[in-house]
Amino acid sequence: MFRRTVCAAVAALLVAVPAVAQQYTVKVTAIVEHPALDAVRAGAREALEARGYDVGEDIDWEFQSAQGDVGIAGQIARTFVGESPDVILAIATPSAQAAVSAARGRVPVIFSAVTDPVDARLVSSLEAPGGNVTGVSDMTPVDRHIEMMLEAMPGLERLGVPYNPGEANAAVLVERIKALAPEYGLEVVTASAPSSADVLAAARSLVGKVDAIYVTTDNTLMSAFESVAQVGMDADIPVFAADTSVVERGAAAAAGFDYHDIGLQTGDIIARVLEGEAPGEIPVQFVDRTLLHVNLGAAADMGLELPAAFLDGADRVIE
Amino acid sequence: MSVIALLGALEAGLLFGLVALGVYLSFRVLHFPDLTVDGSLPLGAGVAATLIVSGADPFLATAVAFVAGGLAGLVTAWLNVRLGILNLLASILVMISLHTVNLRIMGKPNVALLGERTVFTPFEALLPLPFFWVTPLILLGLLLVSVWLVHRFLTSEIGLAMRATGANPRMARANGVRTGAMTLLGIALANALVALAGALFAQIQGAADITMGIGTIVVGLAAVILGEALLSPRTVLLAALGCVLGSVVYRLAVAAALNADFLGLQAQDLKLITAVLVVLAMTLPGLRGRRALRAARQRSGGTGGGR
């Protein structure tokens, strides 16, 4: 009796599994699951839906997260390559490297949310990636952010940047800021926060040395952003950020992009590849749109009076 | 499961088999809980990747990574043996300092190797096989040699002294074994093996990443203990083989978990599924044994009575 029940259950499963013949297979992997990377995934799906694909019906869409483990990222990449999908979407640098390494040009790899694809050796050039790889970079437009801060605070001379030197994207951004700072007459003071527990100390170490603090899209800083905002309010140092999501959490202002938009751009590339374009001929894309969010209360607490013109340019103002 | 996925699991299993051999030396032979490995894996990866990117021969780079791992192990053992710091704490201290050291060596958190010549490149040209066969085969050869070397080492005179150091340090000292020197040697060797794994890992994966060491000790311990459960080893050779086998079984469990979506399981369930599969792998042989034992008792007519 028991055996028969088991047999029936197994048979039911087998019948249920092979659904309708799907047109395309898209395998998706991310190094970890967190809101920004999840938004990329959701955006990519939406863009495909907007192009008339019914994800789940026309497209067999499977997602695997490496849960922060580079070794598992490699195993996921090999599992995916073994199934010869039409496209592998790899989100964030380590997953993208694992996918490109496993695919060896046999399967198209579209990466997303990779800060510096050339440095990560995913592509040899941004304009003509070559190989079977292309994607969307989440390189923050640092120049636009510096301009934003100078507009908000014309007297800004010394800029404090707390960051986690162990985070690839943060390290790249800090290099960019240091390279750009002289053009704008800025002096950059960095503070190291290797874990979220060190963020408060890093922010405090900047007091007295800087006129403003700038927080990049550094995951460690993002997770402990309140500590930075608190230091800013206590010491009258305005805190700016590269991610609009922390404006509600106490940043005076932030210019940033939405990871959902990155996902939309990624989804468009996937659609182009499914429709026959060679990934190697599609240039790597950057974010088109940045938004400015302002928190008036936080700015006042940090002793910053924002110019009217600056407020006029804001997409969202929190009173 | 596709052939590529299966070979990918085998490849990862063999790679972490080196880690398991290292953990076996420190944890089982010397009874030294060594967390240094979480730092020496990315150390090996970082050293090898940085050297290869700056134009060094990949074999030389891998050898230097091996030595670098050995030095890291020496520091841990030295803190313990000479400065008298508790072994667990000594290894934690070296592990966290290695984070900084690795960042310094690499200069950035991620050094990419995609497209560079690696130790696997010449073999790919040599062997008339698809690339996904080549790395597992080479790793298999390397692991068999490593297992044999570990066996030869542990059954040599120095190896016996090292085992005595772990088993009963006071007795070992009474018999003229320099236990401090044995600890230094053993922990250095263990971390050298782990760094070698890191160096090969980076060359397979296409990058050395500062985060790649997280959880190394957990995977290493799981492999050692799983290997013991699977082989119930009585000799050093079997124990060393068990480490590799345990590591491969662990990775097969991960691969199975990755393919478990038809059960309605999702990506975020991976670690729990892996753990459950490992528990099954460990307990099933035991259950079988117990059932066989019960059957044997019944056959013998229950002469003992009672139990």
Side-chain angles (χ1 to χ4, degrees):
Chain A
M1 187 60 212
F2 173 69
R3 203 179 255 179
R4 205 174 298 162
T5 324
V6 170
C7 283
V10 169
L13 265 178
L14 286 178
V15 173
V17 174
V20 230
Q22 283 152 328
Q23 222 177 331
Y24 300 111
T25 316
V26 177
K27 301 278 181 185
V28 188
T29 174
I31 188 68
V32 285
E33 288 172 86
H34 72 65
L37 300 187
D38 295 349
V40 171
R41 196 153 42 97
R45 258 184 102 120
E46 264 172 54
L48 286 169
E49 299 265 1
R51 285 214 176 202
Y53 295 99
D54 187 346
V55 177
E57 196 69 42
D58 307 325
I59 296 177
D60 174 11
W61 175 280
E62 191 200 342
F63 170 63
Q64 293 283 1
S65 154
Q67 328 226 326
D69 187 322
V70 182
I72 292 179
Q75 269 193 273
I76 291 174
R78 278 175 177 58
T79 306
F80 282 180
V81 171
E83 289 164 25
S84 308
D86 294 294
V87 166
I88 293 178
L89 165 58
I91 302 170
T93 307
S95 282
Q97 285 170 329
V100 169
S101 166
R104 303 252 179 151
R106 293 153 45 103
V107 180
V109 177
I110 312 297
F111 59 79
S112 193
V114 170
T115 308
D116 190 341
V118 175
D119 188 58
R121 303 241 186 161
L122 297 170
V123 296
S124 44
S125 118
L126 296 173
E127 293 73 31
N132 214 352
V133 184
T134 191
V136 184
S137 160
D138 66 350
M139 171 59 94
T140 315
V142 177
D143 45 352
R144 283 195 238 170
H145 291 183
I146 295 179
E147 284 158 18
M148 177 268 292
M149 287 186 276
L150 285 171
E151 275 171 41
M153 206 178 161
L156 176 61
E157 280 172 4
R158 298 170 305 168
L159 184 63
V161 185
Y163 78 111
N164 177 0
E167 228 180 272
N169 53 330
V172 170
L173 288 173
V174 170
E175 286 304 309
R176 290 271 299 159
I177 298 163
K178 283 183 177 165
L180 284 169
E183 278 177 42
Y184 294 93
L186 286 181
E187 184 197 333
V188 174
V189 184
T190 56
S192 154
S195 79
S196 50
D198 305 315
V199 170
L200 182 63
R204 278 191 182 141
S205 77
L206 292 169
V207 175
K209 294 188 212 161
V210 299
D211 309 318
I213 293 176
Y214 171 60
V215 175
T216 69
T217 49
D218 178 323
N219 293 312
T220 309
L221 265 292
M222 284 296 160
S223 59
F225 184 80
E226 279 79 2
S227 339
V228 185
Q230 195 55 52
V231 171
M233 289 176 192
D234 292 344
D236 275 356
I237 302 174
V239 177
F240 299 97
D243 184 339
T244 51
S245 72
V246 293
V247 172
E248 286 171 11
R249 293 164 64 189
F257 50 75
D258 193 342
Y259 271 87
H260 186 256
D261 286 342
I262 293 193
L264 291 176
Q265 279 177 259
T266 311
D268 280 332
I269 297 186
I270 296 175
R272 286 167 65 182
V273 172
L274 291 181
E275 284 152 20
E277 263 187 83
E281 288 165 16
I282 304 174
V284 173
Q285 296 186 7
F286 291 85
V287 196
D288 303 330
R289 204 163 64 108
T290 55
L291 301 169
L292 178 62
H293 287 199
V294 178
N295 184 333
L296 285 178
D301 284 345
M302 293 165 181
L304 176 66
E305 202 169 323
L306 291 164
F310 182 78
L311 289 175
D312 287 343
D315 296 281
R316 183 173 173 220
V317 178
I318 301 169
E319 294 295 329
Chain B
M1 201 186 298
S2 70
V3 178
I4 298 187
L6 196 65
L7 289 171
L10 181 66
E11 179 186 286
L14 291 168
L15 196 59
F16 277 85
L18 282 173
V19 175
L21 279 177
V23 171
Y24 169 71
L25 280 180
S26 54
F27 185 67
R28 276 298 185 235
V29 175
L30 281 170
H31 294 277
F32 190 122
D34 181 20
L35 302 190
T36 318
V37 294
D38 272 28
S40 46
L41 186 99
L43 171 69
V47 167
T50 310
L51 282 173
I52 291 174
V53 167
S54 56
D57 178 73
F59 288 94
L60 177 71
T62 309
V64 176
F66 181 82
V67 174
L71 290 176
L74 268 185
V75 175
T76 300
W78 183 78
L79 287 177
N80 171 241
V81 174
R82 292 278 174 269
L83 302 190
I85 296 173
L86 180 72
N87 48 21
L88 192 59
L89 181 62
S91 74
I92 290 172
L93 292 174
V94 175
M95 175 186 76
I96 59 168
S97 3
L98 279 176
H99 187 79
T100 304
V101 173
N102 295 343
L103 273 175
R104 278 284 174 176
I105 290 172
M106 290 159 64
K108 54 188 176 180
N110 183 295
V111 176
L113 281 175
L114 290 168
E116 287 282 349
R117 238 175 64 85
T118 70
V119 291
F120 300 102
T121 319
F123 295 100
E124 272 169 37
L126 208 70
L127 297 171
L129 285 168
F131 73 90
F132 50 85
W133 278 96
V134 176
T135 26
L137 275 181
I138 295 168
L139 286 176
L140 182 65
L142 176 70
L143 260 292
L144 289 179
V145 172
S146 309
V147 163
W148 186 73
L149 286 176
V150 166
H151 156 73
R152 281 299 302 266
F153 173 71
L154 285 179
T155 49
S156 72
E157 203 161 319
I158 299 180
L160 283 170
M162 189 179 288
R163 284 154 72 189
T165 302
N168 190 339
R170 193 174 292 182
M171 182 68 91
R173 269 193 297 276
N175 282 288
V177 173
R178 293 167 58 211
T179 52
M182 285 303 135
T183 308
L184 286 165
L185 179 64
I187 301 301
L189 201 56
N191 282 285
L193 284 170
V194 174
L196 175 63
L200 298 173
F201 191 11
Q203 294 176 61
I204 290 171
Q205 195 87 328
D209 196 284
I210 194 76
T211 63
M212 69 202 294
I214 298 169
T216 305
I217 186 67
V218 179
V219 178
L221 279 176
V224 169
I225 296 166
L226 195 53
E228 283 168 1
L230 291 171
L231 283 188
S232 38
R234 269 177 228 96
T235 65
V236 170
L237 186 62
L238 276 180
L241 264 180
C243 293
V244 180
L245 187 67
S247 174
V248 170
V249 170
Y250 180 83
R251 286 295 157 177
L252 286 174
V254 173
L258 285 173
N259 283 282
D261 53 314
F262 62 91
L263 294 174
L265 295 164
Q266 288 179 345
Q268 66 262 34
D269 306 327
L270 176 69
K271 297 217 163 161
L272 182 61
I273 304 167
T274 312
V276 169
L277 287 172
V278 171
V279 168
L280 284 180
M282 287 186 70
T283 47
L284 283 183
L287 288 179
R288 218 187 309 125
R290 235 173 290 163
R291 200 179 301 159
L293 198 65
R294 212 182 307 140
R297 282 219 191 91
Q298 270 163 10
R299 263 199 307 280
S300 65
T303 38
R307 315 220 294 171

